[in-house]
Amino acid sequence: LSATVIIIAIMLYTLFKINRIWDFRRAFTKWQDLFMIKYTFTIYFAWVTVATALNVTIWLKHGLGIAPVLLSEVGWSVVVLVVAFLIAAYTFITIGTRAYGTIIIWAYVAIYVSTKAPYPTLAYLAAALAGLMLLLLADRTIRKERSFGYKLIS
């Protein structure tokens, strides 16, 4: 493994553990502090999730040189997109906030836009995965509305 893949994987694991262990609501009594710290931290966590997928993709293609041997370049991209989505979905369901889900959606929309012309298969897969994350996000929002007794979306 390359040093960057190891470092980014350690960062992702550490952020995941911090999010699981740290009770943001107890650490910050003012809602402004909670909002600023938790959402800033969550956005960073989502970016590291996306960066991990990117680093692994680059490592598979250039570091190992096995990408064209076992699967085509598009095939490896499909595998990485799906695995990255599964990791992101698990993280979102387990500990993520709506900010985390929004960043993941943004990343998949960006993949859709950038690969639409050269690789339509990847573009449509990215759009579908963005749609799935949007459904998870909508589900989380509806559940929050029901548990708090007021509307979060007007």
Side-chain angles (χ1 to χ4, degrees):
L1 281 166
S2 73
T4 57
V5 173
I6 293 169
I7 291 168
I8 199 90
I10 290 170
M11 287 173 61
L12 182 65
Y13 176 77
T14 304
L15 290 167
F16 183 80
K17 283 299 198 181
I18 289 169
N19 253 310
R20 293 234 4 179
I21 294 169
W22 196 11
D23 186 0
F24 285 98
R25 293 182 194 275
R26 287 187 183 185
F28 304 103
T29 54
K30 290 191 207 170
W31 72 269
Q32 295 94 337
D33 293 339
L34 173 67
F35 180 80
M36 291 304 293
I37 301 297
K38 183 175 182 180
Y39 283 99
T40 302
F41 190 82
T42 302
I43 290 168
Y44 178 66
F45 185 20
W47 275 107
V48 170
T49 305
V50 172
T52 303
L54 179 62
N55 270 294
V56 169
T57 304
I58 291 169
W59 174 69
L60 284 171
K61 183 175 180 184
H62 299 291
L64 284 182
I66 65 166
V69 175
L70 299 175
L71 286 173
S72 69
E73 199 169 300
V74 173
W76 276 111
S77 297
V78 166
V79 169
V80 170
L81 284 175
V82 170
V83 170
F85 176 81
L86 293 173
I87 292 168
Y90 174 77
T91 303
F92 176 73
I93 290 167
T94 307
I95 52 155
T97 62
R98 288 182 295 274
Y100 182 92
T102 303
I103 295 295
I104 301 302
I105 291 168
W106 176 87
Y108 279 101
V109 168
I111 292 168
Y112 169 78
V113 169
S114 67
T115 61
K116 190 175 176 186
Y119 304 107
T121 303
L122 292 179
Y124 295 129
L125 175 63
L129 295 174
L132 284 174
M133 184 58 76
L134 186 60
L135 289 174
L136 290 173
L137 190 65
D139 180 63
R140 166 83 37 111
T141 301
I142 290 167
R143 287 177 193 265
K144 289 269 186 188
E145 283 181 9
R146 288 181 184 155
S147 67
F148 287 128
Y150 62 86
K151 295 209 179 263
L152 296 173
I153 299 174
S154 51

